[in-house]
Amino acid sequence: MSVVGGRETSQVRRRHLAALAYEVEARGLAWRFAGPGESVLTVLVPRTSRQVMVVATPVGDGWSYLWPGGGIADVTDVPHVADQLARLLG
């Protein structure tokens, strides 16, 4: 992969994670970026400190979110992913 391709991938990844951050915040959860190049989204419950880390990764011709416990969903389904994370952390 070229340097430009890597930069573009990084930008797309961060954009997908930012969209998810917006949705989880709307559900009362907190979040922060972590990892190299802010490549991981940490989602947490402020009052309990329960947390889960989410990545966005290229899959085939699209992108998916991945999280522990076998969680996987297409990045086009952001509200559903946010709901799943809220239930997981609830």
Side-chain angles (χ1 to χ4, degrees), residues 61-81:
D61 61 350
W63 283 76
S64 290
Y65 293 116
L66 305 171
W67 61 94
I72 184 170
D74 192 272
V75 295
T76 60
D77 203 6
V78 179
H80 179 69
V81 173

Side-chain angles (χ1 to χ4, degrees), residues 35-76:
E38 298 182 327
S39 58
V40 177
L41 182 70
T42 302
V43 179
L44 61 134
V45 180
R47 67 185 183 286
T48 66
S49 296
R50 290 191 65 186
Q51 64 182 12
V52 64
M53 298 178 91
V54 181
V55 297
T57 188
V59 177
D61 61 350
W63 283 76
S64 290
Y65 293 116
L66 305 171
W67 61 94
I72 184 170
D74 192 272
V75 295
T76 60

Side-chain angles (χ1 to χ4, degrees), residues 4-20 33 37-39 55-59 61-65 75:
V4 172
R7 188 173 338 154
E8 290 170 355
T9 298
S10 195
Q11 291 170 346
V12 171
R13 175 178 288 115
R14 192 164 190 299
R15 191 167 51 247
H16 289 311
L17 292 175
L20 183 56
F33 288 114
E38 298 182 327
S39 58
V55 297
T57 188
V59 177
D61 61 350
W63 283 76
S64 290
Y65 293 116
V75 295

